[in-house]
Amino acid sequence: MKYYTAYPRDNQIIGLAPMDGVTDYPARQIQAKIAKPALMYTEFINVEGLTKKPQAQENRLKFDQEQQPLIVQLWGNNPEYFYQAAKIVAPLGFNGIDINAGCPNPRVLKRGAGGSLIGKNDLIQEIVNGCKNAIKETKGNLPLSIKTRIIGEKEENCRWAEALADLDIDLVCLHGRDLEQRLSGPVDWERVNEGAQIIKGSGKLVLGNGGIKNRTQALEKCKQYNLDGVLIGQAAIGNPWVFSQNDTPTKKELFKTIADHARKVEEFYGPRGFKSFYKHAVCYCRNFSGAKELRIKLLQTKNWPQVENLLNSVALT
Ligand SMILES: Cc1cc2nc3c(=O)[nH]c(=O)nc-3n(C[C@H](O)[C@H](O)[C@H](O)COP(=O)(O)O)c2cc1C
């Protein structure tokens, strides 16, 4: 029952990976409307920041029902802050809490967080305990998960998987690139498979992640490596259709979605936050004639009516 609400079990879980600066409230709204993934995550939220100044994280914590099942992701390295942060998020209605143990960003690594937690078994255990205690004290049964990475070397990878298998958590997502690779390069599905089978042996769900370009590939990976699901990241930026069978929108659908996205960004962040639309705009404009020209023009817009006017004028030509 617990799994059912957070992680749909009827089919493989094809979810949207958490992406800082990308999978925010407006993007998740667009995603849910176009092709709803089985699972979505918030952008990661720093536990210390959330504990000390919760109001500064308001935007990251906002969601609505259409975006569910939605997992809130936390990052940091201090078990006490994880406990405090989990106490804040547990009653908010999310479908689960996820611990980031894979981020390769140097600023995150320098703080001993994200990917720095890989192989730090005692610390991870304490962080999990902190979150579990917070969950128990608030809602009682919220699922807990970890998103992490493989280690390139087989023995070390298996040891990391064994440590994850021993934790009292419900799900692990394994990104098949090691920390040095960061977000690009070949994905080592053999290492994912190796780790996944160890973790699954303890009854947890395992999702794979890395380089998946479409739904067909996602399902193939699940089958080939006996995974409970996969997360799609970069291929979903500017292509929310990636979760549907037919992932090629008509130009009309595409333009309508770009305009919708621009409007939602402006409504959510206000005029000063409009620039966060640009990174999506760049990715929407790929693989059609005139894409490059449109991309350049979209980057000059200052608000969503300008985006709409531009798209209307392009559609008429
Ligand atoms: C812009 C960007 C931001 C990301 N932010 C997060 C994050 O906040 N938390 C996290 O666990 N992973 C984050 N990731 C990693 C993705 O969730 C995913 O693991 C990675 O992109 C590999 O999947 P892909 O090859 O399908 O993109 C981020 C990736 C990108 C490209």
Side-chain angles (χ1 to χ4, degrees):
M1 189 61 195
K2 186 166 97 171
Y3 287 130
Y4 183 74
T5 51
Y7 316 125
R9 295 207 79 171
D10 309 346
N11 295 304
Q12 283 92 351
I13 301 166
I14 314 294
L16 175 65
M19 288 182 280
D20 183 43
V22 177
T23 56
D24 57 359
Y25 179 96
R28 295 194 307 264
Q29 269 195 323
I30 293 287
Q31 186 60 71
K33 192 171 146 204
I34 299 287
K36 194 172 169 178
L39 191 65
M40 293 198 274
Y41 291 70
T42 65
E43 304 164 88
F44 68 179
I45 299 172
N46 178 252
V47 287
E48 187 176 348
L50 180 59
T51 305
K52 291 184 173 165
K53 218 173 160 196
Q55 64 280 17
Q57 304 299 328
E58 240 172 48
N59 280 343
R60 286 182 180 240
L61 289 170
K62 259 186 213 151
F63 67 96
D64 57 36
Q65 221 182 340
E66 285 125 59
Q67 300 177 8
Q68 291 186 293
L70 180 67
I71 310 293
V72 58
Q73 192 188 59
L74 302 176
W75 73 274
N77 85 333
N78 180 320
E80 175 58 24
Y81 283 133
F82 266 97
Y83 166 75
Q84 297 292 349
K87 278 199 79 145
I88 294 171
V89 297
L92 299 182
F94 290 104
N95 300 89
I97 297 178
D98 186 74
I99 297 165
N100 180 309
C103 180
N105 184 316
R107 276 177 300 157
V108 172
L109 295 177
K110 223 167 98 186
R111 293 170 71 171
S116 289
L117 297 175
I118 295 174
K120 301 235 172 77
N121 301 351
D122 293 343
L123 182 55
I124 280 276
Q125 177 74 67
E126 280 182 59
I127 288 172
V128 166
N129 290 346
C131 292
K132 286 301 265 192
N133 288 339
I135 290 168
K136 247 183 251 155
E137 287 168 27
T138 47
K139 204 175 167 198
N141 66 348
L142 206 57
L144 184 63
S145 57
I146 291 185
K147 181 167 175 288
T148 185
R149 290 170 178 263
I150 55 144
I151 300 178
E153 202 272 317
K154 184 180 164 101
E155 305 240 313
E156 269 188 88
N157 190 50
C158 290
R159 274 204 297 277
W160 177 225
E162 280 157 15
L164 292 164
D166 281 346
L167 296 170
D168 184 13
I169 54 175
D170 303 286
L171 177 145
V172 174
C173 173
L174 281 178
H175 180 184
R177 298 185 181 100
D178 68 19
L179 204 50
E180 262 181 41
Q181 288 180 283
R182 297 197 186 188
L183 299 168
S184 58
V187 177
D188 192 339
W189 286 98
E190 283 309 320
R191 289 285 101 89
V192 173
N193 182 36
E194 230 164 61
Q197 299 325 311
I198 292 171
I199 298 164
K200 277 173 75 83
S202 67
K204 300 175 195 4
L205 298 176
V206 181
L207 309 181
N209 167 239
I212 294 172
K213 296 278 181 278
N214 54 48
R215 190 177 167 79
T216 308
Q217 268 185 20
L219 293 171
E220 272 168 18
K221 295 294 181 216
C222 293
K223 197 165 165 209
Q224 196 175 351
Y225 299 112
N226 187 27
L227 297 165
D228 298 293
V230 294
L231 298 182
I232 300 180
Q234 292 160 94
I237 311 178
N239 184 13
W241 295 270
V242 74
F243 291 93
S244 58
Q245 214 62 46
N246 176 8
D247 62 0
T248 318
T250 62
K251 219 166 180 181
K252 196 172 161 197
E253 282 173 308
L254 177 67
F255 281 17
K256 185 178 177 315
T257 303
I258 297 174
D260 261 8
H261 202 145
R263 180 169 54 80
K264 286 185 193 304
V265 167
E266 192 171 320
E267 280 171 0
F268 190 71
Y269 294 111
R272 285 164 62 94
F274 183 73
K275 59 183 182 309
S276 82
F277 163 69
Y278 296 151
K279 58 179 151 315
H280 298 279
V282 167
C283 294
Y284 278 119
C285 295
R286 287 187 296 213
N287 307 327
F288 60 88
S289 74
K292 189 175 163 204
E293 292 77 7
L294 181 59
R295 196 185 310 147
I296 292 166
K297 286 183 182 158
L298 280 171
L299 293 178
Q300 289 158 6
T301 58
K302 299 280 177 273
N303 51 47
W304 85 264
Q306 285 183 9
V307 171
E308 193 159 69
N309 287 341
L310 170 64
L311 293 169
N312 284 339
S313 70
V314 173
L316 291 173
T317 56

